[in-house]
Amino acid sequence: MGEASVKTLETRTDVSSSPLVTESEVRTGPERTLLARLRSPRRPRIWFEILLIAVSYWTYSLIRNAVPEQKAAALANADWIWNAERSLGIAVEQTVNHAVNSVTWLVVGMNYYYATLHFIVTIGVLVWIYRFHPGRYAATRLILFATTGVALVGYYLYPLAPPRLMNGQDFIDTVLVHHTWGSMASGNLKHMSNQYAAMPSMHIGWSLWCGLTIFAVASAPWARILGLLYPAATLVVIVATANHFWLDAVGGMLCLAFGYTVSAAWFRSLPHRLPRHPQHAGPHPATALLNRFRG
């Protein structure tokens, strides 16, 4: 059964979606410019990708947690967003929070969803693209990296307290109430994470990246549907657990749009329109330069 599931994800035809390749783009060696070679999709190397992702996430966490916790500004911004949502008639976070909290098994499940799937599904999609669509991997990864990078700017420029930390509002911290570990910003872990980095929501940025990647590349209808349902479910979870406002999700979407723009500008195509398997493009320019110094 597992084998059949994998095949449905990897057998999508991509001939019609692949862009036309001009003669100048297939040249190898000195005839191609350095920029063209850097932009050429090439088969990723597992050791380099693991190292790159590990270092990148460590750097992201370090910078995110190094942003000063501006409590007063974060709480003031939370009040402003809450009042703005009320004026727009979309301030339903508190209602959702209380409704879900009344169903113990549901809210506990959401707490663990919030804590785990954010990483598990994202890594799973990266591995899937790496394994079955190596020609699209670099462009897809760049979207994720650019999205996360610009989010750091948002954390610095706009400190924001999550609803559960607001003063004078009846939001429930579902992690504390139900004694689960659904958030790095609750309980004994709160000193390890910046509690006022709620805008933009990377739970939405990353889950929507996963969903759109699966929808664009997978061939099985059920997989494409699940891809779209995942960010929708994540949106409900981040609101129900009082970790984010609706507008935090909008911030995450804008960051993802930036990520797609950066990737499309660099690779001159969206990832799903690139060839599934990269053509041989010779050694990476950085590798060639390193070998030259060794020689």
Side-chain angles (χ1 to χ4, degrees):
M1 181 175 179
E3 182 181 357
S5 300
V6 172
K7 286 183 178 179
T8 57
L9 291 176
E10 66 174 278
T11 54
R12 187 173 184 181
T13 303
D14 56 16
V15 175
S16 60
S17 62
S18 299
L20 294 176
V21 180
T22 63
E23 181 182 353
S24 61
E25 291 175 322
V26 298
R27 292 176 182 171
T28 59
E31 297 182 13
R32 303 183 65 203
T33 65
L34 175 63
L35 181 61
R37 281 185 285 163
L38 286 171
R39 282 176 162 176
S40 298
R42 60 190 66 245
R43 185 169 296 277
R45 298 180 178 179
I46 184 65
W47 66 267
F48 176 78
E49 295 303 324
I50 292 175
L51 179 63
L52 178 63
I53 292 172
V55 171
S56 298
Y57 184 74
W58 176 80
T59 304
Y60 162 77
S61 299
L62 187 67
I63 295 175
R64 182 180 186 272
N65 297 333
V67 174
E69 290 196 353
Q70 305 174 56
K71 182 177 180 180
L75 291 172
N77 288 335
D79 288 335
W80 185 90
I81 284 188
W82 183 234
N83 291 330
E85 288 192 351
R86 280 201 253 191
S87 66
L88 294 172
I90 60 172
V92 299
E93 289 93 335
Q94 196 172 87
T95 301
V96 175
N97 176 233
H98 282 249
V100 172
N101 186 69
S102 64
V103 184
T104 302
W105 65 267
L106 179 60
V107 71
V108 169
M110 286 189 172
N111 284 342
Y112 289 126
Y113 179 115
Y114 186 88
T116 60
L117 292 192
H118 180 53
F119 302 102
I120 294 173
V121 177
T122 303
I123 293 174
V125 172
L126 274 173
V127 171
W128 172 50
I129 294 295
Y130 173 90
R131 175 66 179 83
F132 298 110
H133 301 267
R136 298 162 177 163
Y137 176 83
T140 305
R141 183 196 61 198
L142 180 57
I143 294 172
L144 185 64
F145 278 29
T147 298
T148 306
V150 75
L152 292 173
V153 179
Y155 299 148
Y156 185 85
L157 297 179
Y158 196 78
L160 179 66
R164 57 186 171 72
L165 292 182
M166 291 179 68
N167 295 324
Q169 302 296 336
D170 191 23
F171 283 99
I172 300 170
D173 189 331
T174 59
V175 170
L176 293 181
V177 170
H178 297 278
H179 308 290
T180 55
W181 44 274
S183 172
M184 285 291 290
S186 294
N188 295 329
L189 298 176
K190 64 183 179 181
H191 300 297
M192 298 173 59
S193 179
N194 183 357
Q195 298 187 75
Y196 305 113
M199 172 66 85
S201 169
M202 280 298 93
H203 271 74
I204 291 300
W206 287 13
S207 66
L208 190 57
W209 171 86
C210 291
L212 292 178
T213 298
I214 293 172
F215 181 80
V217 176
S219 59
W222 63 264
R224 302 180 74 191
I225 292 172
L226 285 179
L228 295 182
L229 287 178
Y230 174 55
T234 301
L235 179 59
V236 175
V237 167
I238 67 172
V239 170
T241 56
N243 280 294
H244 288 283
F245 296 99
W246 294 113
L247 291 181
D248 298 347
V250 175
M253 295 175 189
L254 293 175
C255 289
L256 183 63
F258 173 82
Y260 269 98
T261 301
V262 170
S263 181
W266 180 254
F267 288 99
R268 295 161 294 179
S269 177
L270 292 174
H272 70 280
R273 293 188 177 276
L274 293 171
R276 179 172 177 174
H277 297 282
Q279 297 179 353
H280 179 68
H284 193 281
T287 303
L289 183 62
L290 182 61
N291 291 334
R292 183 179 302 175
F293 277 113
R294 287 178 178 176

